[in-house]
Amino acid sequence: DAGVIQSPRHEVTEMGQEVTLRCKPISGHDYLFWYRQTMMRGLELLIYFNNNVPIDDSGMPEDRFSAKMPNASFSTLKIQPSEPRDSAVYFCASSREGGNIQYFGAGTRLSVL
Amino acid sequence: QKEVEQDPGPLSVPEGAIVSLNCTYSNSAFQYFMWYRQYSRKGPELLMYTYSSGNKEDGRFTAQVDKSSKYISLFIRDSQPSDSATYLCAMRGNYQLIWGAGTKLIIKP
């Protein structure tokens, strides 16, 4: 199994630009989670899906952030427009049984200049 | 007050020492307790998983849950330089995982 695959691994962009992060979960997993990790705030849950349906997006910081899961094998997290305070590592994770055992991707390191 | 408190460290110990990592929590509804390990520039990976109170052992690692004190621990015996990482506790009641801040552990050769 290839594990959770995220792309790109690194993204450097300028303030105001649109950023799209991508995630391919492990096949057969029906939960998908998007997290953001910073030194100051640690690991924060942004949104999670069950069977491609968004269940809880209360962690999404503001309307500039949106997430979609058009099918069981693909999800995107979009930031538009991006701001320097969005700089962080964004992780995608998937799970088969409700979320205790989550498998994380390698993360996307985002820098907004 | 955060639901889960974890000292961010860093905690630096010599190779071969016994390491104790801890988290406290406030929500008595938590039933599932996990320890994840995160190496630098990698995603977290599950290390130990415990349901309710008690101890669980896996090789050099022991997870301990004391629900009466709302306190969980991870012990690492015979620590190795390869154990150097950030250790995050996570716990769950009915909904999503609540994460600790993570403790950075450094094992000195």
Side-chain angles (χ1 to χ4, degrees):
Chain A
D1 197 328
V4 176
I5 299 172
Q6 290 187 247
S7 64
R9 289 295 312 275
H10 303 275
E11 178 80 32
V12 180
T13 191
E14 292 187 347
M15 183 174 64
Q17 295 298 305
E18 178 179 294
V19 175
T20 299
L21 311 181
R22 297 172 175 80
C23 175
K24 177 179 169 55
I26 293 173
S27 177
H29 285 190
D30 53 359
Y31 285 82
L32 184 138
F33 306 83
W34 281 102
Y35 289 92
R36 177 172 68 178
Q37 187 176 42
T38 61
M39 290 291 292
M40 289 295 295
R41 301 175 67 91
L43 194 64
E44 301 175 278
L45 177 66
L46 300 176
I47 185 171
Y48 79 95
F49 296 82
N50 178 215
N51 292 321
N52 312 338
V53 177
I55 302 300
D56 185 354
D57 65 354
S58 60
M60 297 284 261
E62 47 200 273
D63 291 346
R64 298 184 297 105
F65 285 69
S66 63
K68 293 182 179 180
M69 192 165 186
N71 57 62
S73 59
F74 184 66
S75 178
T76 59
L77 178 68
K78 187 174 293 187
I79 309 172
Q80 166 63 15
S82 58
E83 296 183 4
R85 60 191 167 122
D86 301 330
S87 297
V89 182
Y90 290 81
F91 287 105
C92 174
S94 70
S95 173
R96 191 168 50 192
E97 44 65 57
N100 290 342
I101 302 175
Q102 298 183 14
Y103 296 83
F104 283 75
T108 295
R109 187 171 295 271
L110 174 65
S111 296
V112 183
L113 307 177
Chain B
Q1 184 187 4
K2 293 182 180 179
E3 278 191 284
V4 177
E5 297 280 357
Q6 184 177 13
D7 187 336
L11 175 63
S12 183
V13 301
E15 181 177 356
I18 295 174
V19 175
S20 173
L21 303 168
N22 311 294
C23 288
T24 59
Y25 63 95
S26 57
N27 190 341
S28 58
F30 290 149
Q31 295 282 354
Y32 303 92
F33 304 91
M34 279 67 67
W35 286 96
Y36 282 74
R37 178 176 62 193
Q38 184 177 20
Y39 290 114
S40 180
R41 297 186 177 269
K42 301 284 188 183
E45 58 178 347
L46 182 69
L47 189 60
M48 300 283 285
Y49 173 28
T50 311
Y51 173 71
S52 194
S53 283
N55 292 1
K56 186 172 184 178
E57 190 173 318
D58 183 2
R60 296 185 295 111
F61 299 88
T62 299
Q64 201 170 75
V65 175
D66 182 349
K67 292 190 71 179
S68 62
S69 300
K70 297 189 179 67
Y71 189 89
I72 70 170
S73 300
L74 177 71
F75 298 97
I76 307 174
R77 293 183 299 280
D78 187 25
S79 56
Q80 304 293 311
S82 58
D83 296 327
S84 297
T86 296
Y87 290 79
L88 300 100
C89 64
M91 45 199 80
R92 177 169 171 246
N94 294 324
Y95 302 105
Q96 69 265 25
L97 287 184
I98 306 298
W99 295 82
T103 299
K104 183 173 183 177
L105 174 65
I106 301 168
I107 308 297
K108 297 176 295 185

